[in-house]
Amino acid sequence: MTDKKSQQKNDNNNIDPDKFREMVTELAYLKAEKRGFVAGHELEDWLEAEQEVSNQCHDGSQEV
């Protein structure tokens, strides 16, 4: 039996890392833009974008 974290790690191996990073970068930028580029939220934007892209990839709603 595998736990959720190890399953997610295995799923991430099927994603092209360059494409994944590109998608996260774009989404994090859009989040910052929406907030008016107020400083101090860069890590939050990045982590949220990373999670959202990861979810999209695992749900099959986004081909990478």
Side-chain angles (χ1 to χ4, degrees):
M1 186 166 143
T2 59
D3 63 17
K4 193 171 185 174
K5 276 192 174 184
S6 64
Q7 180 64 40
Q8 185 175 15
K9 183 178 179 184
N10 289 337
D11 289 346
N12 285 340
N13 291 335
N14 298 327
I15 301 169
D16 176 42
D18 293 330
K19 182 66 175 173
F20 183 80
R21 180 177 293 273
E22 178 184 326
M23 293 170 70
V24 171
T25 300
E26 280 186 45
L27 186 55
Y29 177 88
L30 292 173
K31 287 177 173 294
E33 181 180 48
K34 186 175 182 179
R35 207 183 47 260
F37 297 106
V38 174
H41 297 278
E42 298 82 2
L43 180 59
E44 178 184 339
D45 291 338
W46 183 269
L47 294 176
E48 285 180 10
E50 197 173 59
Q51 185 64 51
E52 288 178 31
V53 171
S54 182
N55 289 343
Q56 284 179 343
C57 293
H58 296 135
D59 290 343
S61 61
Q62 179 78 28
E63 282 190 28
V64 179

